[in-house]
Amino acid sequence: MGGWAIAVHGGAGVDPNLPQDRQEEAKQLLTRCLNLGISALRSSLPAIDVVELIVRELESDPLFNSGRGSALTENGTVEMEASIMDGPDRRCGAVSGITTVKNPISLARLVMEKSPHSYLAFSGAQEFAKQQGVEMADNNYFITEDNVGMLKLAKEANSIMFDYRIPICGSEPCSAVVESPIQMNGLPISVYAPETVGCVVVDSQGRCAAATSTGGLMNKMTGRIGDSPLIGAGTYACDLCGVSCTGEGEAIIRGTLARDVAALMEYKGLNLQEAVDYVIKKRLDHGKAGLIAVSSNGEVAYGFNSVGMFRGFATEDGSMEVGIWE
Amino acid sequence: MGWAIALHGGAGDIPRSLPLERREPRKAALRHCLQIGVDALNSHRSPLDVVELVVRELENNPHFNAGVGSVLTSNGTVEMEACIMDGNTKRCGAVSGLSTVKNAISLARLVMEKTPHIYLGFDGAEAFAREQGIETVDSSHFITPENIERLKQAKEANRVQIDYTQPIKKVGDKIPVPDGDSQIGTVGCVAVDGLGNLATATSTGGLVNKMVGRIGDTPIIGAGTYANNLCAVSATGRGEAIIRGTVARDVAALMEYKGLSLNDAATYVVEGAPSGTTGLIAVSAKGEVTMPFNTTGMFRACASEDGYTEVGIWPGELRE
């Protein structure tokens, strides 16, 4: 065992009716990110740098729900959050309520390295960003037409949610709801929008790191914080492993998912895959979520109980895989 | 097996030389809040109601770093945060960045019960508070002269209480502040009833001279606050250390995954944390209580249905 390994995700909970071309686009992005990570690892970039690099790439691409392409709040604005954790001494950094920082994951890293704190949010975080001179953009930069449309549907869905089981044939706004009775976070899967991106890496020195970034839940209340910036919930890394989660934020928080993968390895002696399987099976109750994980031994694992999860992984011995479905 | 309750008013570098006039009002407050909790448990209020009730009382007391008496940000403002969790259902609610809500813990409970979310912060949380009609006051209500003084001293010493694992910052030499209790952080309460229902609640003003927007361990489920069907935990100390140590979750995880007793799990976690950073209170479904800390002291109190009571500040104090 040993050697480097990398895994990325672009959200758990995928519309089974997602058009083929969108599926292809997603797989290409994941592949591109993996290749970027693989070169970085081959040049001996440390795990903490690799996870940041990859998540920046995912944030900059409008496809997934982070940075550009973030889901919108009920007010039609973007409020992004992210967290990063470095396994060896469990240093961590997190941000929430970010509105004009191009790459929230990099701001989270700066919180970890350039502030006396672990977590900064809203105007305080934005102020810190200005002081640090990070790249900013107008809030509109992050908003895509796709998501404006999704927000509208989400609002409609919320107002007719209780009716969705009643067949309303031929009714335009409802057709999406009727066709896809799968729901996540109270929204039909077709408007849910995959939540969150993340990356976990173990480098050739056995150091693990994890990073997660998101725009959050479509149509969320302004000020709503999900699992992604919460250490132990959406993100965790220690000397044993690195974990990044995605899915129903509230379920991930209650299940302290990311920490539990590590705790099972540490306290119950499970190996990485066993810990991942246990957490997905037993820690989610009725919630739907997924996660990716790496161990200091160079193993990689993922698991999800949702319908689909955009993910990919690669290991030093040459295996590489990108997928969406089971 | 009967009910049990524990509460804390912060762990930190509380010197034994703390003068009587700073010590007694706090001990009296701990006794008073403990009694409120005990009476509520004896009247069969749910643990969730009890922890909220007790923390509201602690928030209203100016001697602790929560609600009235909250420490100040670098801008001289208050930004309060709180979190509540129900053991059996693992439902939870958290808030951060509050400046006008009289009882942050009650807003956290409303987030849990009245929204599809778990955590609301800053403007969004304040707006929600107004929608809910919860009591709000001018933020000057929370600011005490002691805290204005603490902020002044912290700025003069140009320090913020930091987690020394942050490599960049100068590892703060702890310049003793005259009243010696500048590291008070957080209030909390955990309770279990005779049926094994568990709940926890934590509330705080955060760190003296913290950056505006800084969030600590208190509202982070698994860090400062956690409850499941085995135990309920509330932590206090240096937020940044408690976050990376996932303290509250770890106590429960050790019980669950390693089969440790409440006491052993809590001790293990506290002893494993960097010295001077961590304290916690915890109760188990079986009615056990524990209050370990690795700081100089921790304002704390506990009681159980069998008549046991304890109120203390430093280690090894005799039961009252």
Side-chain angles (χ1 to χ4, degrees):
Chain A
M1 286 263 84
W4 53 256
I6 174 172
V8 294
H9 72 72
V14 187
D15 183 0
N17 298 319
L18 190 68
Q20 202 54 37
D21 59 330
R22 295 299 297 263
Q23 295 189 40
E24 271 320 300
E25 246 187 307
K27 286 166 100 170
Q28 277 167 35
L29 174 57
L30 292 167
T31 305
R32 194 172 86 232
C33 288
L34 283 176
N35 285 327
L36 188 62
I38 291 167
S39 318
L41 283 161
R42 286 194 181 135
S43 349
S44 306
L45 201 64
I48 188 73
D49 291 336
V50 181
V51 297
E52 183 190 356
L53 184 69
I54 300 313
V55 171
R56 282 177 65 93
E57 190 68 23
L58 289 161
E59 284 170 338
S60 303
D61 193 295
L63 190 65
F64 293 131
N65 174 11
S66 71
R68 215 168 124 229
S70 280
L72 307 180
T73 68
E74 59 184 358
N75 295 342
T77 57
V78 161
E79 280 177 12
M80 300 171 285
E81 46 196 17
S83 65
I84 191 165
M85 193 161 187
D86 191 16
D89 49 15
R90 288 175 290 140
R91 297 179 308 142
C92 45
V95 290
S96 280
I98 301 304
T99 51
T100 62
V101 173
K102 253 191 165 177
N103 290 99
I105 195 63
S106 295
L107 188 64
R109 179 138 188 213
L110 287 169
V111 170
M112 177 172 85
E113 297 186 330
K114 298 281 166 73
S115 88
H117 302 315
S118 295
Y119 189 8
L120 289 179
F122 294 89
S123 61
Q126 291 276 132
E127 188 53 44
F128 177 67
K130 284 200 198 95
Q131 285 167 19
Q132 293 292 314
V134 299
E135 207 180 345
M136 312 282 260
D138 191 78
N139 200 250
N140 289 322
Y141 161 84
F142 305 97
I143 300 174
T144 60
E145 230 177 271
D146 257 4
N147 280 320
V148 172
M150 286 298 201
L151 180 62
K152 192 155 166 288
L153 287 177
K155 285 184 182 290
E156 281 167 14
N158 274 337
S159 65
I160 59 168
M161 187 51 61
F162 58 93
D163 285 338
Y164 90 97
R165 274 186 240 267
I166 303 165
I168 310 170
C169 302
S171 173
E172 277 314 296
C174 301
S175 63
V177 178
V178 172
E179 279 162 22
S180 298
I182 300 167
Q183 275 185 62
M184 274 179 74
N185 261 117
L187 288 171
I189 196 78
S190 53
V191 305
Y192 165 72
E195 229 184 344
T196 310
V197 300
C199 180
V200 293
V201 162
V202 54
D203 60 28
S204 45
Q205 319 257 14
R207 297 174 295 207
C208 298
T212 315
S213 179
T214 192
L217 183 60
M218 185 64 75
N219 200 27
K220 66 183 179 180
M221 288 171 74
T222 182
R224 178 263 190 181
I225 292 173
D227 65 289
S228 301
L230 304 187
I231 297 297
T235 305
Y236 190 76
C238 60
D239 52 13
L240 290 178
C241 63
V243 186
S244 171
C245 306
T246 166
E248 294 182 317
E250 282 71 16
I252 295 168
I253 292 172
R254 282 206 302 276
T256 53
L257 234 57
R259 171 54 182 144
D260 268 45
V261 172
L264 282 159
M265 294 178 74
E266 196 174 339
Y267 300 145
K268 217 171 166 141
L270 300 192
N271 67 34
L272 186 73
Q273 189 67 59
E274 288 169 337
V276 168
D277 291 342
Y278 186 111
V279 156
I280 295 295
K281 227 169 135 186
K282 301 198 172 169
R283 281 278 153 264
L284 284 169
D285 299 331
H286 304 295
K288 296 282 179 229
L291 62 92
I292 53 175
V294 289
S295 75
S296 54
N297 290 337
E299 300 158 297
V300 70
Y302 64 86
F304 55 94
N305 70 353
S306 50
V307 175
M309 177 171 79
F310 293 107
R311 82 266 174 191
F313 70 82
T315 55
E316 192 167 5
D317 64 10
S319 28
M320 182 155 156
E321 198 185 290
V322 165
I324 303 177
W325 312 111
E326 198 60 58
Chain B
M1 199 202 92
W3 53 254
I5 179 172
L7 56 103
H8 70 75
D13 187 22
I14 310 164
R16 289 189 188 250
S17 56
L18 189 70
L20 215 65
E21 68 267 18
R22 300 205 75 92
R23 199 193 311 167
E24 281 315 305
R26 286 185 174 94
K27 277 183 101 166
L30 292 170
R31 271 183 219 109
H32 170 73
C33 293
L34 184 67
Q35 195 57 52
I36 288 181
V38 166
D39 291 345
L41 283 163
N42 277 328
S43 328
H44 307 293
R45 297 284 300 269
S46 72
L48 194 63
D49 286 345
V50 174
V51 299
E52 184 191 356
L53 195 64
V54 171
V55 169
R56 283 176 64 96
E57 199 65 26
L58 289 161
E59 284 170 338
N60 295 340
N61 189 297
H63 291 116
F64 300 112
N65 175 14
V68 179
S70 282
V71 298
L72 307 179
T73 70
S74 57
N75 282 359
T77 54
V78 294
E79 280 180 5
M80 301 171 287
E81 46 196 19
C83 182
I84 190 164
M85 190 162 186
D86 175 57
N88 285 337
T89 59
K90 294 209 292 226
R91 283 159 67 227
C92 39
V95 288
S96 280
L98 300 179
S99 51
T100 68
V101 174
K102 195 152 182 268
N103 292 99
I105 195 62
S106 295
L107 190 66
R109 186 158 180 189
L110 287 173
V111 172
M112 176 175 86
E113 296 183 335
K114 299 283 166 73
T115 76
H117 302 320
I118 282 179
Y119 191 4
L120 288 181
F122 296 82
D123 290 351
E126 287 273 331
F128 176 66
R130 273 152 190 83
E131 262 172 53
Q132 292 292 311
I134 196 178
E135 196 177 353
T136 54
V137 292
D138 188 84
S139 61
S140 57
H141 166 88
F142 306 101
I143 300 178
T144 60
E146 288 83 7
N147 279 308
I148 293 175
E149 185 56 33
R150 280 196 187 102
L151 179 63
K152 185 160 166 283
Q153 287 170 359
K155 282 184 180 292
E156 279 165 5
N158 193 29
R159 72 185 161 85
V160 75
Q161 281 122 21
I162 54 173
D163 176 354
Y164 63 69
T165 65
Q166 298 293 337
I168 283 289
K169 283 308 247 198
K170 208 170 45 164
V171 176
D173 300 308
K174 278 189 241 150
I175 300 157
V177 181
D179 62 14
D181 58 352
S182 63
Q183 288 198 41
I184 54 164
T186 314
V187 301
C189 181
V190 293
V192 60
D193 64 17
L195 301 169
N197 295 309
L198 292 146
T200 175
T202 318
S203 179
T204 189
L207 283 186
V208 182
N209 201 24
K210 64 182 180 179
M211 288 172 73
V212 169
R214 177 264 190 185
I215 293 176
D217 65 288
T218 294
I220 302 182
I221 298 292
T225 308
Y226 186 77
N228 62 8
N229 58 3
L230 289 178
C231 66
V233 186
S234 171
T236 167
R238 284 193 180 153
E240 285 70 16
I242 295 168
I243 290 173
R244 63 185 269 281
T246 55
V247 167
R249 173 55 185 143
D250 267 36
V251 174
L254 282 159
M255 292 179 73
E256 193 174 344
Y257 299 149
K258 222 169 169 166
L260 296 193
S261 69
L262 179 79
N263 201 51
D264 286 349
T267 305
Y268 184 101
V269 169
V270 164
E271 287 181 355
S275 182
T277 64
T278 304
L280 66 92
I281 54 173
V283 289
S284 72
K286 293 196 247 172
E288 304 155 299
V289 194
T290 184
M291 306 190 290
F293 50 97
N294 71 9
T295 48
T296 310
M298 180 169 81
F299 293 107
R300 66 200 186 278
C302 71
S304 43
E305 197 167 5
D306 60 8
Y308 182 78
T309 308
E310 189 184 316
V311 178
I313 305 176
W314 297 285
E317 273 171 82
L318 299 174
R319 49 175 283 198
E320 298 215 329

